[in-house]
Amino acid sequence: MDRDELHRMIRVDQAGEFGATRIYEGQLAVMGDRGPHSAEIRHMAEQEEVHCARFNEVLAKRGVRPTALHPFWSVAGYALGAGTALLGPEAAMACTAAVEEEIDKHYSEQLDRLAEIDEEPELAEMIEEFREEEREHRDAALANGAENAPAYPLLSGAIRLGCRIAIKVSERV
């Protein structure tokens, strides 16, 4: 794996974890501490903050340039979180389920790539740890009514498409 590919991998992961923190901030701003799923969301948010902090450390340690779209992802993530929470608790859970489904696939592809080259064991271990927590978030969201959200297939599909686009753009920009 060349330096550029590794930097793209780290850049997009840091951007994604940052975006996740903003989604949960937006959801909690609307739902408050007493919403039906606020405790679950707060727990997920705390895990995402740890993920983001660890990727921030990797970014700094390796001299990786963060995405230039950070300000955009900050606003977009917050808006997505707040917007889905405004639609109701099930829509907030649908957002989480959709995002985490894409992140699970993304992290799995990265782990496959890292296994191919048999390099970067510390990075692979961190990504695997985070992937498992993201899967827990998806499963918790599904258990908490994500599929009962209004227009769930449409909402989920749109969010998943947005995630795929954000991943591709953040790798490069």
Side-chain angles (χ1 to χ4, degrees):
M1 172 178 294
D2 68 17
R3 179 181 168 276
D4 289 342
E5 182 181 1
L6 181 63
H7 281 211
R8 283 193 304 271
M9 185 180 287
I10 294 167
R11 177 180 307 111
V12 71
D13 290 353
Q14 187 276 340
E17 296 297 350
F18 172 73
T21 66
R22 297 295 291 156
I23 290 169
Y24 290 127
E25 286 175 26
Q27 288 178 343
L28 289 169
V30 170
M31 297 174 74
D33 289 332
R34 296 194 217 196
H37 306 303
S38 293
E40 186 72 39
I41 290 170
R42 184 157 312 284
H43 172 71
M44 290 186 262
E46 289 167 357
Q47 288 181 315
E48 298 296 356
E49 287 172 12
V50 170
H51 298 179
C52 187
R54 291 206 26 218
F55 270 115
N56 285 342
E57 291 170 9
V58 172
L59 219 67
K61 179 181 173 186
R62 294 176 180 245
V64 176
R65 172 188 58 77
T67 180
L69 296 171
H70 234 262
F72 178 77
W73 296 143
S74 179
V75 172
Y78 191 90
L80 177 60
T84 55
L86 284 169
L87 293 173
E90 290 84 10
M93 290 290 107
C95 175
T96 295
V99 169
E100 301 300 18
E101 183 67 29
E102 288 304 314
I103 299 308
D104 178 20
K105 288 181 179 182
H106 172 71
Y107 277 162
S108 292
E109 289 168 4
Q110 286 186 338
L111 288 168
D112 289 346
R113 178 67 180 124
L114 291 170
E116 284 174 17
I117 60 169
D118 197 28
E119 293 178 18
E120 302 293 336
E122 289 177 27
L123 181 61
E125 184 179 319
M126 187 173 81
I127 291 171
E128 188 167 2
E129 174 190 336
F130 293 172
R131 180 186 65 178
E132 293 311 309
E133 289 180 358
E134 308 299 1
R135 286 175 172 176
E136 290 171 14
H137 298 173
R138 179 199 58 217
D139 294 347
L142 291 170
N144 282 292
E147 295 170 311
N148 297 327
Y152 174 76
L154 181 62
L155 181 63
S156 177
I159 293 169
R160 289 181 66 188
L161 176 62
C163 287
R164 289 191 299 272
I165 292 168
I167 288 168
K168 291 300 177 196
V169 171
S170 290
E171 285 177 339
R172 305 279 183 206
V173 179

